[in-house]
Amino acid sequence: MKIEEILALSNEELVKQEEEAQKELFELRFRLSTNQLVNHSEVRRVKKQIARLKTIIRKRELGLR
């Protein structure tokens, strides 16, 4: 999901997306620890996605942009 798409989401949708990304990260870490994960870059992608979502949520809480 690109930043433009994230900015277009409402606050509730942002929180929902973050929860889904957290669940996905948990599943990826579980698969990584059991050696079932083929593409290790997925963990990094999801972590960056979570960071983007949290940043936008926090900016909106502070009233920035």
Side-chain angles (χ1 to χ4, degrees), residues 13-27:
E13 291 172 330
L14 284 173
V15 172
K16 185 178 177 185
Q17 287 289 326
E18 182 192 355
E19 290 172 357
E20 290 174 6
Q22 289 286 359
K23 288 178 186 177
E24 183 179 358
L25 180 61
F26 175 78
E27 292 171 5

Side-chain angles (χ1 to χ4, degrees), residues 38-62:
V38 177
N39 188 0
H40 299 293
S41 65
E42 287 294 309
V43 175
R44 185 178 209 183
R45 181 192 59 81
V46 173
K47 287 172 79 174
K48 285 185 177 185
Q49 182 71 19
I50 292 169
R52 284 186 195 104
L53 290 166
K54 285 187 174 189
T55 300
I56 299 301
I57 291 170
R58 183 65 181 150
K59 279 186 174 182
R60 288 187 181 177
E61 286 176 357
L62 295 175

